[in-house]
Amino acid sequence: MSLQIGQKAPDFTAETTEGKISFHDWIGDSWAVLFSHPKDFTPVCTTELGYMARMKPEFDKRNTKIIGLSVDPVTNHAKWAKDIEETQGTAPNYPMIGDTDLKVAKLYNMLPYETPGSSEGRTAADNATVRTVFVIGPDKNIRLMISYPMTTGRNFDEILRVIDSMQLTARHKVATPVNWKNGEDVIIVPAVTDEEATAKYPQGFKKLKPYLRTVAQPK
């Protein structure tokens, strides 16, 4: 069965560069970003891991933990980290899962369940589908999934933008319009009546259509 947004994120235990974890316990009351990689020492992923290390303070501000996964041993991750620091300026400052038995990749539908063997002998091309970003809420439900091709670097600024939107809309009865950025006007959801919106937003709101009403972002 494929994973879907709103479904409980599968729990697992795994070895990481920061010790053994139980995934749901590791998330705790935070949000989490799990982003996967098809192989250690791959060029696009090298740039991604370094960028995420530099962005970590921004995720910390949003009570969001980040964790990487690659279908290689943790010992390889440690060697790769040196290359990442040398070429990108920052080594990973978050845990990296070693998924040598492909358990997590299969659990998250990034590889077919019937895939035989382990990571040994597998190439990046064999694992091309292991390039997905999952955002998981404190309730352990999947809030976002995006899969990328191997030749296209991921836009983690976009992931940060989406987390801003999801955290805002979890607190208020609003939605965010196309290309929204933190601080811009938002949409009042249809479930809120005009009367309720007037009481909630005494500063006023714009009614473009009965179903399309915008208001300044709530604080």
Side-chain angles (χ1 to χ4, degrees):
M1 180 178 176
S2 61
L3 297 179
Q4 298 178 341
I5 289 176
Q7 182 180 338
K8 193 70 70 178
D11 196 13
F12 58 85
T13 57
E15 294 294 337
T16 81
T17 50
E18 297 183 6
K20 191 171 185 177
I21 66 162
S22 175
F23 190 49
H24 283 190
D25 289 344
W26 177 82
I27 293 173
D29 295 328
S30 302
W31 291 67
V33 175
L34 167 64
F35 64 114
S36 60
H37 306 270
K39 195 77 179 167
D40 288 6
F41 305 103
T42 48
V44 174
C45 294
T46 296
T47 65
E48 293 173 337
L49 289 163
Y51 190 74
M52 280 295 268
R54 295 195 298 275
M55 285 185 71
K56 187 174 182 295
E58 290 301 317
F59 287 97
D60 290 342
K61 290 177 187 175
R62 293 159 173 82
N63 187 34
T64 300
K65 297 179 177 179
I66 54 180
I67 188 167
L69 175 148
S70 182
V71 288
D72 273 316
V74 168
T75 51
N76 280 17
H77 296 352
K79 296 174 184 176
W80 190 16
K82 295 177 182 177
D83 287 358
I84 295 166
E85 183 173 22
E86 178 185 344
T87 61
Q88 307 303 309
T90 311
N93 47 12
Y94 45 83
M96 282 285 294
I97 297 166
D99 193 28
T100 54
D101 58 2
L102 312 179
K103 178 181 71 175
V104 181
K106 294 177 184 179
L107 193 62
Y108 277 75
N109 298 144
M110 295 181 284
L111 286 174
Y113 182 76
E114 61 273 13
T115 301
S118 67
S119 63
E120 187 174 353
R122 293 181 65 85
T123 67
D126 294 329
N127 304 328
T129 50
V130 188
R131 272 184 60 75
T132 303
V133 179
F134 297 90
V135 176
I136 299 161
D139 56 4
K140 313 303 183 293
N141 288 340
I142 296 171
R143 303 296 185 91
L144 172 140
M145 298 183 294
I146 308 179
S147 295
Y148 287 76
M150 285 178 58
T151 52
T152 301
R154 286 172 269 203
N155 185 338
F156 288 111
D157 293 324
E158 165 65 3
I159 302 302
L160 205 64
R161 185 192 76 89
V162 175
I163 290 172
D164 281 340
S165 172
M166 291 189 293
Q167 292 185 345
L168 176 69
T169 58
R171 295 191 303 267
H172 302 279
K173 293 180 179 180
V174 296
T176 55
V178 62
N179 295 333
W180 172 88
K181 293 179 182 177
N182 198 12
E184 296 179 347
D185 287 359
V186 297
I187 295 168
I188 302 169
V189 297
V192 176
T193 66
D194 284 350
E195 292 75 17
E196 291 170 334
T198 299
K200 186 171 180 62
Y201 305 110
Q203 76 276 22
F205 58 89
K206 297 177 183 177
K207 188 173 182 178
L208 305 175
K209 290 290 182 180
Y211 59 86
L212 180 54
R213 301 162 297 168
T214 61
V215 69
Q217 177 181 320
K219 294 183 179 179

